[in-house]
Amino acid sequence: MKKIIIPIIVLISISINTKAQEKSRKEKRGDKYAFSYSYNDAIDAYTHTKNLTVDGQRKLAQSYRAVGKNVESEVVYSKLITNSQGVLPEDYYNYAMILRSNGKYEESNKEMDKFYELKPTDLRAKDYEANKGKLNDLVKDDGKYKLLDLDFNTDDQDFGTCFYKDKIVFSSTRATPKWIKRTYNLNGKPFLKMYVSDVKNGQLEKPHIFDKSLDSKMHDGPASFSKDGTFMAFTRNIKHDKRKDKVIDLQICFSNFKDGKWSKPEPFTYNNDAYSVGDPCLSADGNTMYFASDMPGGFGGVDIYKTTKDAKGIWTTPVNLGNKINTEGDELFPFYEESSKTLFFASDGHFGLGGLDIFISKKNSLGIDSVYNAGAPLNTQYDDFAMIVDDKMKGYFSSNRVGGKGDDDIYSVQFLKGVDLRKMIVGTAKDETGNPVAKTFMTLLDDKGNTIDTVTTENDATYRFLADADQNYKLIGKKAAYMDGDTIANTFGTDSLVKADVILLAKEEVIDKTIKEGPQERTDLGKIKGVKFSTIYFDFDKYNIRPDAETELNKIVKVLNQYPNMTVELKSYTDCRGTEAYNKELSDERANASENYIKERITNPKRISGKGYGEAKLVNACSCDVNVVPSCSDDERQKSRCTEFTIVSSPVVLKK
């Protein structure tokens, strides 16, 4: 575990030399130590340097963080960012991460706000902006997990479990005493070895070296096995280093169990001296593998990849899992649970509670990845990683949290509520003019009318509901002196946050008849002659409002506010690509997006309503019939991806 101690006094006296370009001899010595992972020696050199450059200060903060001295690292970063010269956007990010690891979430968010301003397109910044409102929910223990600190843990590193038949294999720095003990510069502990342990009454017992023939002179593990236990993949250090940055190189090796013994390890085809690959996770049949790598072409840091064996048993070119999973930070320790089609991984790039957090990703019925933070108590302000579970949602993970027995410890976990792929429905109870209606009693119902949850809003009139993914919901708001308000919401798609406001109207009598407003000529239905709304269009497989659509919608808003009794109906469509079910849901999303845009900007929002009709109105006969050769361009198909508007009537509204 990473111990938090009081910053040493010498730290306070450190000054930053923002003008000098040349580093002192002591600072250069510190750089050499940091370069070779001798961080304690680097810290000693840096703290005895009178005038550190900005780069030296940065490396001192990183060195403190590398040895788990996060409090000291925080102090150095705090001094670093007060200097206007030489401060990088990444410094704000790293400072925010240290603050988060120290449990200072409010201060961390302030630094992340600065990082977002400087790098708004950074995936980490985007994820923070989208999820920062979930912090209170992430730190809340709502009884989803049952955790157990295992008795066999030591004060060494014990982490990275995997299933092996009815046993557990893990990595550890615990070592048998020898006359000559090889140690690792980073933590001064022995190199990692693979151990195997029996499972009894939820505990791991009597660990011993997995197989001495697989031991190298450097790190070995973590590992992964096919279900029958005859094929394994494991991480290993390579013995030489050709990388200019001197980052420790990792590779994946394979071994088969034949004739009562494990075969000589064979390297993964995509091992490379220029980058690392590791953290393998094999499928049950051993023909698919997820792994982590900092190979070129990723999103930054370490990304998660997938590869499969072709008909000849050759591993195919690795495929990056994309920017819903990967960020500019590090994504590590992938584990895929096949029965529930759920991917677990650790990340310091997604919004979390500190250090590495465990995240869960699952492909929904539409084939779209959704990712969410597993939350407390599985995640803490410390490093939480290397989750594995069986088909009963029981398994193990690793953590260096306070209260453990050592550096990294192994914990057992049981998911008491299954894989909880929930999303957050948020909104505000408002009146017809857009003012908040405090103390509104809100009810969330499923598509069958069953009550899921209720809450009474506070003075800001906002509400939040946790809801299952890929479902339709209805929200109802009740308050004395107001008519009940309601709206629909759904949790399809990739967004983990769903916005759905509810409008409550002051009690009034609605008389459905035509009115006369000056000299304007009207049709029999009460429509204003000469007023026609333009169709808006959407990008392929999207339902966000484009800038050109905003222009047209603002025109509609202006007319509706000019004629406060006009009612409008909208219909949304898709082109024919995709399944009918998916296109119906996508058109509903487009209808909701169009409807909500207008509702938020007009009086009496109940005057606008709409529905999606999928691919029911294809323009230009752009069919997707498999028996017809497609001849439509995307520009032609674009005309089918739209929302149309129709003026229905203009009823009178009289106050009692």
Side-chain angles (χ1 to χ4, degrees), residues 502-522:
V502 167
I503 308 300
L504 294 87
L505 303 179
K507 287 186 176 178
E508 55 191 16
E509 179 179 345
V510 179
I511 303 176
D512 188 11
K513 68 177 183 179
T514 304
I515 63 169
K516 295 181 179 179
E517 294 184 1
Q520 287 154 323
E521 185 179 353
R522 298 180 171 278

Side-chain angles (χ1 to χ4, degrees), residues 389-511:
V389 294
D390 59 20
D391 56 3
K392 296 180 181 178
M393 289 295 122
K394 293 182 180 180
Y396 304 89
F397 72 101
S398 307
S399 177
N400 62 5
R401 64 187 60 192
V402 167
K405 296 182 178 65
D407 192 325
D408 294 320
D409 286 341
I410 295 172
Y411 295 77
S412 69
V413 59
Q414 180 178 358
F415 284 65
L416 300 178
K417 299 181 180 180
V419 180
D420 190 6
L421 289 172
R422 292 182 295 175
K423 298 189 177 183
M424 186 70 68
I425 298 176
V426 300
T428 304
K430 303 177 181 178
D431 64 18
E432 59 183 322
T433 62
N435 294 317
V437 180
K439 306 301 179 183
T440 297
F441 183 77
M442 296 296 308
T443 302
L444 177 71
L445 302 98
D446 63 19
D447 57 358
K448 297 180 181 179
N450 301 313
T451 298
I452 305 299
D453 201 1
T454 61
V455 67
T456 299
T457 67
E458 298 295 335
N459 292 332
D460 63 358
T462 61
Y463 49 84
R464 306 168 67 88
F465 291 109
L466 277 172
D468 292 334
D470 305 334
Q471 301 292 328
N472 291 305
Y473 294 93
K474 183 176 183 178
L475 297 104
I476 298 177
K478 292 179 178 288
K479 184 177 173 70
Y482 288 84
M483 298 176 63
D484 291 351
D486 64 78
T487 191
I488 60 173
N490 71 69
T491 52
F492 294 97
T494 59
D495 293 337
S496 57
L497 200 65
V498 178
K499 193 176 188 317
D501 294 336
V502 167
I503 308 300
L504 294 87
L505 303 179
K507 287 186 176 178
E508 55 191 16
E509 179 179 345
V510 179
I511 303 176

Side-chain angles (χ1 to χ4, degrees), residues 44-69:
D44 183 65
Y46 288 138
T47 53
H48 286 87
T49 301
K50 290 184 178 180
N51 290 298
L52 280 176
T53 64
V54 172
D55 181 64
Q57 194 79 351
R58 182 180 296 117
K59 288 177 179 176
L60 173 58
Q62 293 167 345
S63 297
Y64 274 129
R65 186 179 186 184
V67 297
K69 295 183 178 180

Side-chain angles (χ1 to χ4, degrees), residues 249-538:
D249 289 327
L250 303 176
Q251 64 179 6
I252 292 175
C253 291
F254 303 111
S255 182
N256 291 279
F257 193 72
K258 296 179 180 179
D259 302 323
K261 63 180 181 180
W262 288 99
S263 64
K264 181 181 178 180
E266 297 181 359
F268 178 38
T269 304
Y270 294 95
N271 289 341
N272 194 301
D273 290 349
Y275 53 81
S276 288
V277 295
D279 298 345
C281 170
L282 292 172
S283 60
D285 61 10
N287 292 327
T288 298
M289 182 173 70
Y290 295 86
F291 66 93
S293 176
D294 61 349
M295 66 175 62
F299 293 93
V302 180
D303 285 359
I304 295 176
Y305 292 81
K306 178 183 177 181
T307 180
T308 58
K309 287 182 181 178
D310 63 19
K312 296 180 180 180
I314 299 174
W315 292 106
T316 58
T317 302
V319 176
N320 188 295
L321 294 194
N323 63 7
K324 290 183 176 65
I325 300 292
N326 295 311
T327 69
E328 291 87 349
D330 291 334
E331 281 68 49
L332 307 158
F333 299 101
F335 178 83
Y336 187 70
E337 201 292 300
E338 295 184 41
S339 64
S340 62
K341 295 181 173 62
T342 304
L343 176 70
F344 298 85
F345 66 97
S347 172
D348 63 6
H350 290 278
F351 182 75
L353 299 182
L356 289 170
D357 271 20
I358 295 169
F359 289 82
I360 303 174
S361 174
K362 189 173 183 179
K363 288 190 175 182
N364 60 30
S365 59
L366 305 180
I368 302 172
D369 286 318
S370 58
V371 175
Y372 78 97
N373 186 301
L378 197 58
N379 288 325
T380 64
Q381 68 191 66
Y382 304 95
D383 288 328
D384 307 290
F385 57 100
M387 166 67 69
I388 66 169
V389 294
D390 59 20
D391 56 3
K392 296 180 181 178
M393 289 295 122
K394 293 182 180 180
Y396 304 89
F397 72 101
S398 307
S399 177
N400 62 5
R401 64 187 60 192
V402 167
K405 296 182 178 65
D407 192 325
D408 294 320
D409 286 341
I410 295 172
Y411 295 77
S412 69
V413 59
Q414 180 178 358
F415 284 65
L416 300 178
K417 299 181 180 180
V419 180
D420 190 6
L421 289 172
R422 292 182 295 175
K423 298 189 177 183
M424 186 70 68
I425 298 176
V426 300
T428 304
K430 303 177 181 178
D431 64 18
E432 59 183 322
T433 62
N435 294 317
V437 180
K439 306 301 179 183
T440 297
F441 183 77
M442 296 296 308
T443 302
L444 177 71
L445 302 98
D446 63 19
D447 57 358
K448 297 180 181 179
N450 301 313
T451 298
I452 305 299
D453 201 1
T454 61
V455 67
T456 299
T457 67
E458 298 295 335
N459 292 332
D460 63 358
T462 61
Y463 49 84
R464 306 168 67 88
F465 291 109
L466 277 172
D468 292 334
D470 305 334
Q471 301 292 328
N472 291 305
Y473 294 93
K474 183 176 183 178
L475 297 104
I476 298 177
K478 292 179 178 288
K479 184 177 173 70
Y482 288 84
M483 298 176 63
D484 291 351
D486 64 78
T487 191
I488 60 173
N490 71 69
T491 52
F492 294 97
T494 59
D495 293 337
S496 57
L497 200 65
V498 178
K499 193 176 188 317
D501 294 336
V502 167
I503 308 300
L504 294 87
L505 303 179
K507 287 186 176 178
E508 55 191 16
E509 179 179 345
V510 179
I511 303 176
D512 188 11
K513 68 177 183 179
T514 304
I515 63 169
K516 295 181 179 179
E517 294 184 1
Q520 287 154 323
E521 185 179 353
R522 298 180 171 278
T523 68
D524 293 339
L525 290 176
K527 298 175 186 175
I528 303 174
K529 189 174 181 180
V531 175
K532 184 179 180 181
F533 298 140
S534 298
T535 299
I536 65 170
Y537 297 95
F538 297 83

Side-chain angles (χ1 to χ4, degrees), residues 104-153:
K104 298 181 178 180
Y105 295 121
E106 184 175 346
E107 294 95 327
S108 175
N109 284 357
K110 289 179 181 178
E111 301 307 318
M112 280 301 296
D113 287 337
K114 296 175 185 176
F115 180 68
Y116 180 78
E117 290 176 8
L118 294 170
K119 296 187 71 174
T121 61
D122 189 291
L123 295 171
R124 296 166 298 176
K126 288 182 176 180
D127 193 81
Y128 161 75
E129 189 68 16
N131 294 290
K132 62 182 179 180
K134 300 178 183 178
L135 179 61
N136 291 336
D137 297 302
L138 293 181
V139 299
K140 180 181 178 182
D141 182 357
D142 57 1
K144 295 193 296 288
Y145 313 110
K146 179 181 179 181
L147 309 184
L148 178 65
D149 184 358
L150 301 181
D151 296 336
F152 91 128
N153 285 314

